[in-house]
Amino acid sequence: FGLHTDSSHRFERGVDPELQIQAIERATELLLQICGGSAGPLKQVADHEALPRRIDIPLRAERVKRMLGIDITHTQIEGYLRRLQIEYTGSEGSWTVTPPSHRFDLNIEADLVEEIARLYGYNNIPETLPVVPQCMVAKAENKLHLDYYKDVLTQRGWQEAITYSFVDPALQEQLGFDRQSISLSNPISSEMSAMRTSHWAGLIGALQYNQHRQQKQVRLFETGLNFIGSGSDIDQQLWISGIAAGEYWPEQWSQSRRKIDFFDIKGDVEALLTHTRACDQYSFRSEPHPALHPGQSARIYQTDEAVGWLGVMHPELEGKLSLDGPVVLFELNGQALIDAQPRRFQTISKFPSIRRDLSIVVDEAVTADEILRVINETDHKTINNSWVFDVYQGKGVESGRKSMSLGLILLDSSRTLTDEDVEKTVGHIIDALAEKLNATLRD
């Protein structure tokens, strides 16, 4: 019935299956001593197949020495076993031990070593330094530990948080992740009755705690497992996530005050992705998320596989949680960060680079990422760098379109590029942008 009684306290630690025979023999002995008479035959009914069996345990003197750091003679060890009423066979430093039926705690060799140490006397065991082998361990160049990324975020002004894996199911449901959560059968409280499917639930609680205590700058990240599934089918995934809110700069004279925005945190996420040495594989695609602001949310992809989210918290959710926004959140699949590209040496070209600027007009829905991908896929060998440095909408640009100005750095490591080479490459880029993104040169 789950009641805590003297009986349960005694027998929950096990019952000696041989105790009954000893008890009835002792009771018979007392009756004969006090009352006299003679004992009749003992009738026993037992299901020996269901009774627990005593398991033989190997014990080695070498193992005792290695665990305790002292030399104990074979004679001493055998003496200790006899004092413990433990049956044993063997000699010369190797024994097979059968523990008594009432010693439920003796199951492995380490348990026997502990008993030997107890009888030898803990205070008699001298202090000795452990022997640590000095050897170089090979480190895979294409694997990076999450501690590496923790350092990156810490250097960029973030602080690590450690929150409970148990979260409020109501808050987790508000976040809107399409992930099946696991309910606890014996929760600490109703606010901690589900296993987290995202770090965001715990980080939001940490942000609330800090903002309620007048903290104006909060940037917290957390690494750890998320638990998705049900029953025995549980998928434990390693993630790194973050939440940020408040002022971007500490109060000072040289910078005007402003709130953290989407692009501040996007820069920090890009810094993480850069260290994988495969940042060209990652892209930010505008996608809606129930917990994020429409138009200020992006899903992070590694090639075509979704590996995370980035965005500003939805104003409606922000109001329900009484947060001082804007609040920016991100999460990244830890495995995507651990699997990095090996380092490759590339010589610096001794030939001069050439810069060309382009102004193109594209549809309003076209992103800078799409434009840069088309450029890099067109002539990746010659194009050393490309970026967007201006976006314009208004007079001179038709409705539904926008003007974007691009900077291009062209470089060849084997020779100096000629004007003809540059014009040819730029022409290929213009043709590709026109074909894939319906782009035109701005007059």
Side-chain angles (χ1 to χ4, degrees), residues 210-229:
N210 280 274
Q211 287 192 341
H212 292 168
R213 285 153 182 80
Q214 294 81 46
Q215 296 301 309
K216 302 298 184 184
Q217 263 191 314
V218 181
R219 293 191 193 183
L220 301 173
F221 74 91
E222 183 172 11
T223 62
L225 296 175
N226 291 331
F227 306 88
I228 303 167

Side-chain angles (χ1 to χ4, degrees), residues 261-262 291-294 296-297 310-314 318 326-329:
D261 62 22
F262 174 91
L292 301 179
H293 193 300
Q296 295 190 57
S297 68
L310 168 68
V312 177
M313 182 181 288
H314 198 291
E318 184 183 298
V327 177
V328 189
L329 300 136

Side-chain angles (χ1 to χ4, degrees), residues 39-339:
L42 175 64
K43 292 183 179 180
Q44 178 183 1
V45 178
D47 184 359
H48 293 285
E49 294 298 324
L51 291 175
R53 300 180 182 276
R54 292 191 289 175
I55 302 174
D56 293 337
I57 305 171
L59 177 63
R60 298 159 292 173
E62 179 188 355
R63 177 71 169 170
V64 175
K65 179 180 178 181
R66 189 161 70 249
M67 292 186 70
L68 301 183
I70 54 175
D71 280 318
I72 300 180
T73 65
H74 301 171
T75 303
Q76 282 179 292
I77 292 175
E78 291 177 357
Y80 294 146
L81 295 177
R82 286 193 297 270
R83 288 167 61 183
L84 293 167
Q85 299 178 357
I86 294 177
E87 301 173 4
Y88 65 90
T89 58
S91 60
E92 300 300 326
S94 179
W95 302 272
T96 300
V97 173
T98 305
S101 58
H102 64 277
R103 292 299 303 267
F104 311 108
D105 57 323
L106 301 181
N107 297 302
I108 58 176
E109 188 175 22
D111 296 332
L112 298 172
V113 176
E114 182 183 5
E115 290 298 301
I116 292 170
R118 182 171 63 84
L119 294 177
Y120 183 83
Y122 295 134
N123 57 316
N124 295 324
I125 299 175
E127 295 180 2
T128 56
L129 294 175
V131 178
V132 181
Q134 300 295 314
C135 58
M136 297 294 290
V137 179
K139 196 173 182 180
E141 201 174 6
N142 62 340
K143 296 288 182 183
L144 292 176
H145 197 274
L146 275 186
D147 286 346
Y148 183 82
Y149 296 100
K150 291 181 184 182
D151 292 340
V152 173
L153 287 174
T154 302
Q155 291 162 8
R156 298 179 72 88
W158 292 73
Q159 292 181 315
E160 184 176 8
I162 301 175
T163 65
Y164 282 103
S165 299
F166 314 139
V167 297
D168 185 351
L171 175 57
Q172 190 153 260
E173 186 177 349
Q174 285 181 298
L175 294 176
F177 281 101
D178 186 19
R179 301 169 184 170
Q180 187 175 8
S181 64
I182 304 161
S183 298
L184 299 177
S185 58
N186 187 24
I188 298 173
S189 66
S190 59
E191 290 78 21
M192 303 176 70
S193 59
M195 299 295 289
R196 68 185 180 200
T197 60
S198 168
H199 291 109
W200 286 1
L203 289 172
I204 287 171
L207 175 62
Q208 288 175 321
Y209 185 90
N210 280 274
Q211 287 192 341
H212 292 168
R213 285 153 182 80
Q214 294 81 46
Q215 296 301 309
K216 302 298 184 184
Q217 263 191 314
V218 181
R219 293 191 193 183
L220 301 173
F221 74 91
E222 183 172 11
T223 62
L225 296 175
N226 291 331
F227 306 88
I228 303 167
S230 62
S232 60
D233 184 21
I234 300 174
D235 185 16
Q236 301 185 46
Q237 299 178 357
L238 184 64
W239 289 77
I240 179 169
S241 309
I243 190 168
E247 302 290 335
Y248 182 76
W249 300 105
E251 189 172 350
Q252 56 178 295
W253 60 270
S254 65
Q255 295 288 341
S256 58
R257 296 178 63 181
R258 71 174 181 86
K259 297 279 190 177
I260 288 172
D261 62 22
F262 174 91
F263 294 102
D264 295 324
I265 309 308
K266 182 172 182 281
D268 291 336
V269 173
E270 287 177 331
L272 293 176
L273 301 179
T274 299
H275 287 276
T276 65
R277 300 185 287 275
C279 54
D280 57 329
Q281 297 179 6
Y282 293 90
S283 61
F284 296 80
R285 304 178 192 176
S286 178
E287 290 188 20
H289 187 287
L292 301 179
H293 193 300
Q296 295 190 57
S297 68
R299 198 160 195 182
I300 305 169
Y301 283 85
Q302 185 180 23
T303 312
D304 291 321
E305 181 184 358
V307 294
W309 283 97
L310 168 68
V312 177
M313 182 181 288
H314 198 291
E316 184 178 338
L317 178 59
E318 184 183 298
K320 288 180 180 178
L321 299 175
S322 302
L323 294 172
D324 181 16
V327 177
V328 189
L329 300 136
F330 80 86
E331 68 170 10
L332 281 168
N333 189 305
Q335 195 59 48
L337 297 177
I338 290 173
D339 296 329

